[in-house]
């Protein structure tokens, strides 16, 4: 039972409420739904941050991207900058939940929920994003693989509020894609997901980042899959080797949505499609957003 509810109009008010023990809520698409489903009770004290306009920005920052914590999935996928240079993030934001979820759900809530099945996590991780946290004591930035410490757990202190996510500008001839396996098109979470970001030069892949989603306690990159791509030409043999490495690097659990064996088998399929789509985009080819729908023929 929540005993205290505060609506903050400024960032200072929000941070002050957190210092007093309140927990933040923005779109409420994770916190409220989770409480209704009995996953976790609502906190004793809540501060609503949805009126803090300084957290709602989505800025094209010198070729990079600066996302306020309240940027919605709908705003992200509609951004021309995101669709042009950060296509994996556009792929992910386009398929989060339902239309209503995307209109209300925020990137900050998604990242701080720390679900290993979150769609936007793999793209942000592979694109090198960092999260800026603010408390009454000041600000600090963390890479996302430092922020996520386990399912639903982060390295943020209780009095720290995620204020922004900084995504650096990608190198020329970089392509990215996020693909997930799901059982239905709306209100679904990933059974298996994969992100690939590749950079090409002179007919070879000079940098590659591959991450798996819903296959381990946190979303994480798979170094073996990345090594299988770098210095290669991005042909079928390299893509297949990288996809197998991604699957072999997974340690999935069995749950109500899929068995561990099924997830492992599908990890190779999904990773292959994500890597191939990223290579196509790096070469200037067109893969519609979201890549999942395009590649599965929806």
């Amino acid at each position: 039972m929540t005993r205290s509810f505060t609506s903050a109009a400024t960032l200072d008010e929000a941070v002050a409420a957190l210092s007093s023990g309140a927990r933040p809520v923005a779109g409420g698409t994770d916190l409220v739904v989770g409480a209704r489903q009995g996953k976790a009770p609502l906190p004793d004290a809540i501060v609503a941050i949805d009126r803090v306009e300084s957290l709602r920005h989505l800025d094209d920052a010198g070729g990079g991207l600066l996302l306020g914590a309240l940027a919605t999935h709908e705003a992200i996928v509609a951004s021309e900058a995101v669709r042009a240079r950060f296509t994996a993030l556009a792929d992910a934001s386009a398929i989060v939940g339902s239309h209503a979820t995307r209109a209300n759900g925020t990137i900050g809530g998604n990242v701080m929920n720390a679900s290993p099945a979150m769609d936007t996590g793999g793209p942000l991780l592979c694109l090198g994003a960092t999260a800026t946290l603010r408390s009454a004591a000041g600000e600090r930035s963390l890479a996302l693989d430092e922020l996520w410490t386990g399912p639903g757990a982060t390295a943020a202190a209780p009095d720290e509020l995620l204020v922004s996510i900084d995504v650096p500008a990608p190198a020329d001839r970089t392509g990215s894609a996020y693909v997930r396996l799901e059982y239905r098109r709306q209100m679904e979470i990933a059974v298996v997901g994969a992100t690939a970001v590749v950079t090409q030069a002179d007919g070879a892949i000079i940098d590659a980042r591959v991450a798996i989603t819903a296959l381990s306690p946190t979303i994480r990159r798979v170094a073996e899959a990345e090594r299988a791509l770098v210095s290669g030409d991005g042909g079928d043999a390299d893509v297949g080797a990288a996809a197998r490495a991604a699957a072999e690097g997974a340690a999935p659990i069995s749950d109500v949505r899929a068995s561990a064996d099924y997830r492992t088998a599908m990890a190779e399929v999904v990773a292959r499609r994500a890597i191939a789509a990223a290579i196509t985009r790096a070469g200037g080819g067109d893969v519609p957003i979201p890549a999942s729908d395009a590649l599965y023929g929806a």
Side-chain angles (χ1 to χ4, degrees):
M1 177 69 72
T2 298
R3 296 183 175 86
S4 170
F5 181 86
T6 304
S7 181
T10 67
L11 182 54
D12 286 343
E13 289 178 8
V15 170
L18 263 65
S19 297
S20 299
R23 305 300 301 148
V25 61
T29 53
D30 288 316
L31 184 70
V32 175
V33 173
R36 285 176 176 170
Q37 295 177 345
K39 294 179 180 178
L42 288 173
D44 287 343
I46 291 176
V47 54
I49 61 172
D50 59 296
R51 294 171 57 220
V52 182
E53 289 301 320
S54 62
L55 298 178
R56 200 174 296 282
H57 57 87
L58 192 163
D59 299 325
D60 187 349
L65 194 64
L66 188 62
L67 298 169
L70 293 184
T72 65
H73 301 294
E74 182 179 71
I76 291 170
V77 73
S79 163
E80 291 185 6
V82 175
R83 297 178 73 92
R85 299 194 301 277
F86 308 95
T87 43
L89 182 58
D91 289 334
S93 292
I95 57 176
V96 170
S98 65
H99 292 289
T101 305
R102 293 190 289 276
N104 291 284
T106 65
I107 191 70
N110 210 195
V111 167
M112 296 307 287
N113 191 42
S115 167
M118 83 174 85
D119 291 307
T120 58
L124 289 173
L125 180 66
C126 287
L127 290 166
T130 56
T132 297
L133 306 170
R134 180 179 292 187
S135 71
E139 285 189 355
R140 64 173 177 141
S141 294
L142 290 175
L144 295 187
D145 58 355
E146 298 173 320
L147 178 69
W148 298 322
T149 57
T154 74
D159 64 344
E160 287 184 313
L161 179 70
L162 175 70
V163 293
S164 63
I165 297 168
D166 188 354
V167 189
D172 290 342
R173 300 203 64 186
T174 293
S176 64
Y178 171 74
V179 177
R180 85 175 182 195
L181 175 65
E182 68 226 341
Y183 292 136
R184 58 185 183 182
R185 296 299 179 196
Q186 295 282 327
M187 297 302 292
E188 183 60 291
I189 59 176
V191 177
V192 175
T195 303
V197 178
V198 300
T199 302
Q200 295 179 329
D202 300 324
I205 293 176
I206 60 172
D207 188 47
R209 300 176 185 185
V210 177
I212 52 175
T213 293
L215 289 165
S216 57
T218 61
I219 296 170
R220 63 180 178 83
R221 290 170 56 185
V222 183
E224 295 82 357
E226 297 171 351
R227 283 196 291 269
L229 290 170
V230 173
S231 301
D233 62 2
D236 290 344
D238 292 343
V239 173
R244 286 192 295 276
E248 290 168 358
I253 62 170
S254 296
D255 63 15
V256 294
R257 288 181 292 126
S259 68
D261 288 344
Y262 180 72
R263 279 196 167 100
T264 300
M266 290 300 99
E268 182 175 341
V269 175
V270 172
R272 182 186 300 114
R273 293 178 176 179
I275 295 166
I279 291 172
T280 297
R281 285 170 169 170
D286 180 50
V287 177
I289 296 169
S292 290
D293 285 357
L295 300 175
Y296 285 114

